């Protein structure tokens, strides 16, 4: 099932950009997705219901999560060319019926209130223009007991170092891009927007990366953070 594309003036990935992102995901980043998917399951403890990946790109994180859970996956991205890439990976998976492609912007998600059990997002938050609004919107669509796992990282230190080396050989300015995204200034900006948005949240900063966990309710202890 696929939604009609919405008009989005802030699409950041055209066809060439989507093709490059897909190549990089498949040829360089591929090993990180199963590791991050395992960490999400272990840390969030949600394995069924509806999961939305925001800024899903080629969809490799959602595919890795689908393999180890019973979640129904909605891949939401603001860029239609990313869905062209994701559609190919979904079609080659053993469970294409569990995926829906949704064109949408995190600032105005085309989703009802309180309908999503788990939101995941990797590498997309760095592109969001109005973080406070985006975090409020995530709080709006989360179901009671729902959680969101949002941020950036490579799963562990070994993968981080290997990917960094490979990316720098392909794009010499990549290290400064990565350092800026995962640096202290960016973290402070995220924390300030989280506080301003009024959502309940925790953060993780370790060798898996920097992750923000948004909770709908202050009910359960975080698992193994
Ligand atoms: N999550 C994927 C991964 O880790 O392979 C793709 C990461 S890619 C660097 C960032 C993605 O976020 C792109 O597909 C882009 O179109 C999407 N994106 C950027 N801003 C967005 C927004 N405001 N709403 C939804 N998606 C957005």
């Amino acid at each position: 099932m696929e939604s009609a594309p919405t008009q989005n003036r802030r699409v950041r990935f055209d066809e060439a950009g989507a093709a490059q992102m897909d190549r990089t995901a498949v040829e360089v980043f591929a090993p990180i997705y199963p590791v991050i998917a395992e960490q999400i399951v272990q840390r969030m403890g949600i394995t069924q219901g509806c999961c939305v990946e925001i800024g899903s790109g080629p969809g490799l994180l959602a595919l890795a999560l689908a393999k180890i859970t019973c979640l129904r996956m909605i891949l939401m991205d603001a860029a239609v060319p990313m869905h062209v890439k994701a559609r190919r990976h979904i079609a080659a998976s053993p469970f294409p019926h569990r995926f829906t492609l949704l064109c949408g912007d995190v600032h105005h998600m085309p989703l009802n209130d309180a309908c999503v059990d788990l939101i995941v997002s990797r590498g997309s938050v760095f592109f969001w223009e109005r973080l406070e609004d985006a975090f409020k919107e995530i709080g709006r669509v989360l179901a009671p007991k729902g959680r969101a796992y949002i941020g950036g990282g490579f799963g562990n230190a070994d993968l981080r170092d290997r990917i960094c080396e490979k990316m720098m050989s392909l794009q010499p300015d990549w290290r400064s891009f990565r350092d800026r995204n995962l640096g202290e200034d960016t973290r402070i900006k995220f924390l300030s927007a989280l506080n301003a948005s009024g959502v309940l949240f925790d953060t993780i900063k370790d060798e898996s990366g920097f992750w923000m966990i948004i909770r709908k309710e202050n009910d359960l202890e975080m698992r193994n953070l």
Side-chain angles (χ1 to χ4, degrees):
M1 195 176 96
E2 194 160 341
S3 71
T6 54
Q7 289 298 315
N8 192 309
R9 287 188 293 278
R10 280 190 299 277
V11 170
R12 293 151 204 287
F13 290 86
D14 58 11
E15 272 173 40
Q20 189 184 346
M21 174 73 230
D22 188 50
R23 253 194 325 275
T24 306
V26 170
E27 293 172 11
V28 184
F29 283 62
I32 73 172
Y33 300 107
V35 174
I36 295 173
E38 287 282 357
Q39 288 165 347
I40 292 172
V41 168
Q42 195 197 8
R43 290 168 168 173
M44 302 295 96
I46 297 172
T47 55
Q48 49 193 330
C50 172
C51 174
V52 175
E53 181 178 2
I54 301 176
S56 46
L60 301 194
L61 178 58
L63 278 155
L65 253 182
K67 267 193 195 147
I68 56 169
T69 66
C70 300
L71 289 160
R72 282 174 287 111
M73 312 295 307
I74 297 177
L75 275 61
M76 193 190 91
D77 204 291
V80 173
M82 285 295 180
H83 282 330
V84 175
K85 302 297 172 192
R87 196 179 294 118
R88 207 165 42 88
H89 297 300
I90 291 168
S93 82
F95 28 61
H97 56 282
R98 284 171 56 197
F99 293 86
T100 301
L101 297 179
L102 178 65
C103 187
D105 186 322
V106 67
H107 303 93
H108 305 281
M109 288 194 268
L111 293 166
N112 293 334
D113 293 357
C115 68
V116 182
D117 301 290
L118 177 66
I119 289 176
V120 300
S121 184
R122 180 208 160 266
S124 183
V125 65
F126 310 106
F127 297 91
W128 301 352
E129 283 172 356
R130 301 188 316 284
L131 288 168
E132 182 182 332
D133 291 346
F135 294 144
K136 276 187 190 152
E137 188 63 353
I138 286 166
R140 178 185 70 77
V141 303
L142 275 182
K145 302 195 192 310
R147 292 187 179 187
Y149 190 90
I150 298 160
F154 305 91
N156 62 45
D158 177 51
L159 284 171
R160 179 195 63 209
D161 295 347
R162 274 166 38 204
I163 284 167
C164 194
E165 194 180 333
K166 176 88 179 165
M167 285 305 292
M168 281 189 312
S169 73
L170 297 170
Q171 299 171 21
D173 60 347
W174 191 77
R175 185 196 283 271
S176 62
F177 170 74
R178 185 208 67 170
D179 288 350
R180 191 174 60 246
N181 280 353
L182 293 178
E184 199 51 27
D185 288 353
T186 305
R187 242 188 340 270
I188 289 168
K189 186 175 78 174
F190 288 153
L191 289 174
S192 142
L194 283 165
N195 278 312
S197 72
V199 294
L200 294 166
F201 71 92
D202 295 273
T203 60
I204 298 175
K205 178 182 178 295
D206 61 13
E207 65 172 46
S208 72
F210 177 67
W211 303 99
M212 294 165 273
I213 290 130
I214 296 178
R215 284 172 289 155
K216 188 68 175 207
E217 289 174 3
N218 202 2
D219 54 353
L220 296 170
E221 287 301 308
M222 295 273 105
R223 294 161 62 105
N224 305 320
L225 296 188

